[in-house]
Amino acid sequence: MHRLIINPKYEHWRPMIASIPQTFDHISEVLRDRRNVIKVTAAPDGTRLNVKRFHKPQFPNNYVYAWHIRQPKGIRALFHAYILQGLGIETPEPVAYIEERHEGALGLSYFVSLQCPYTHRLYELGDAPEGSYEEITDALARFTAKMHDHGALHLDYSPGNILWEKIDGEYHFSLVDTNRMYFGVVDMEKGCANFARLWGPKRLFCRLARTYAEERQMDADECERLILLYRKRFWKKYVRKHKNDIEFTLEL
């Protein structure tokens, strides 16, 4: 059994979207090939589409989804994209959600969106030399402050999930992988903790904290203390588990 939810704007693509479970393995442009696979394909008019296939959940999650205790990741990504757009926060335009079920149990599922044209991710700030990151750091702080002021918190706010581009002298950011979001009041502690997964030298985070605090009218010293605290906690734990995976000079 298949379930298809499609953005009304793209109803004219229904036949092509509905065929994705059958055509996915034949799509040649692969962005990520891990547990969840991301590929890029084209709509009938040539529009580039991002298709993320979520793996079949294992026990006990297959029952969690079968009994509707929790919404599948793909449908959360779809609805969260609508919410973010309504708040004026950039994220790729949602196109559709497709799921396969077998005797009620969730099988493979797919989230389809327009492909974001931005070419950069925040990995580039990993070993940023002083003098090369100040503008983008301030812009990121302002973007994040706006998001938090609007009651949105990306629960995997990491370098790979923030796309950016500098257009006509201004930085633009777009959120991806939005199936894990919190919507509600974002206080100082929650907001400062949200930066913990980002990469970059310690001085970058000190600047980030100051600009973020200014935008949200918070105490700058306390913001800096909290951001550095949560950053240190996250990365010390990460290093214990993945010490060979650090791709930048980690200064705690």
Side-chain angles (χ1 to χ4, degrees):
M1 179 180 71
H2 284 66
R3 178 189 184 195
L4 171 60
I5 301 174
I6 192 162
N7 185 332
K9 286 174 62 175
Y10 303 107
E11 182 63 37
H12 55 294
W13 292 346
R14 178 176 287 271
M16 176 265 172
I17 298 297
S19 71
I20 283 176
Q22 290 74 48
T23 62
F24 187 83
D25 286 337
H26 303 289
I27 298 172
S28 60
E29 187 174 348
V30 181
L31 293 185
R32 186 174 72 183
D33 189 2
R34 297 180 187 170
R35 198 175 185 195
N36 300 320
V37 182
I38 303 176
K39 295 187 176 185
V40 178
T41 190
D45 64 359
T47 301
R48 285 168 62 79
L49 301 178
N50 184 292
V51 184
K52 183 173 184 178
R53 183 176 70 184
F54 295 92
H55 68 94
K56 182 179 178 180
Q58 303 300 312
F59 178 84
N61 282 335
N62 51 353
Y63 289 102
V64 169
Y65 295 128
W67 297 335
H68 303 287
I69 297 171
R70 185 188 308 152
Q71 292 275 24
K73 293 179 180 179
I75 199 166
R76 279 183 268 150
L78 180 81
F79 292 138
H80 291 168
Y82 285 131
I83 294 171
L84 289 169
Q85 285 188 324
L87 296 174
I89 299 165
E90 279 194 59
T91 191
E93 172 97 313
V95 173
Y97 167 71
I98 309 163
E99 70 178 33
E100 300 173 326
R101 285 188 180 265
H102 308 281
E103 297 181 352
L106 181 66
L108 296 173
S109 57
Y110 305 80
F111 171 59
V112 186
S113 64
L114 300 188
Q115 177 69 7
C116 180
Y118 297 170
T119 58
H120 301 279
R121 296 179 185 236
L122 288 179
Y123 293 117
E124 298 163 46
L125 296 184
D127 281 313
E130 192 164 2
S132 69
Y133 60 82
E134 284 79 0
E135 280 190 0
I136 189 172
T137 298
D138 290 345
L140 177 64
R142 289 191 291 268
F143 170 78
T144 310
K146 173 188 173 183
M147 180 169 61
H148 291 172
D149 279 341
H150 283 78
L153 193 78
H154 196 308
L155 297 178
D156 188 7
Y157 204 51
S158 55
N161 291 335
I162 308 168
L163 309 183
W164 66 271
E165 200 74 53
K166 192 174 184 180
I167 303 170
D168 296 330
E170 292 188 7
Y171 288 93
H172 295 259
F173 300 92
S174 181
L175 300 180
V176 298
D177 204 6
T178 58
N179 56 283
R180 294 179 62 236
M181 296 287 304
Y182 163 84
F183 295 102
V185 176
V186 180
D187 59 18
M188 179 190 290
E189 188 135 359
K190 277 195 182 85
C192 291
N194 200 211
F195 293 104
R197 294 169 179 259
L198 297 181
W199 294 11
K202 186 175 179 179
R203 61 185 181 274
L204 181 153
F205 286 87
C206 294
R207 184 181 184 102
L208 186 75
R210 297 279 159 177
T211 306
Y212 177 78
E214 181 180 353
E215 288 294 307
R216 299 200 71 194
Q217 299 182 337
M218 293 175 170
D219 182 85
D221 290 336
E222 182 63 6
C223 276
E224 182 174 322
R225 184 188 73 81
L226 288 170
I227 285 175
L228 294 179
L229 171 67
Y230 282 104
R231 173 180 177 268
K232 185 173 183 177
R233 281 184 187 174
F234 174 81
W235 286 106
K236 285 183 71 174
K237 184 177 179 181
Y238 186 92
V239 167
R240 284 198 298 269
K241 294 182 178 180
H242 312 278
K243 58 183 175 182
N244 296 323
D245 296 338
I246 303 296
E247 299 178 23
F248 62 98
T249 303
L250 184 59
E251 177 193 1
L252 296 178

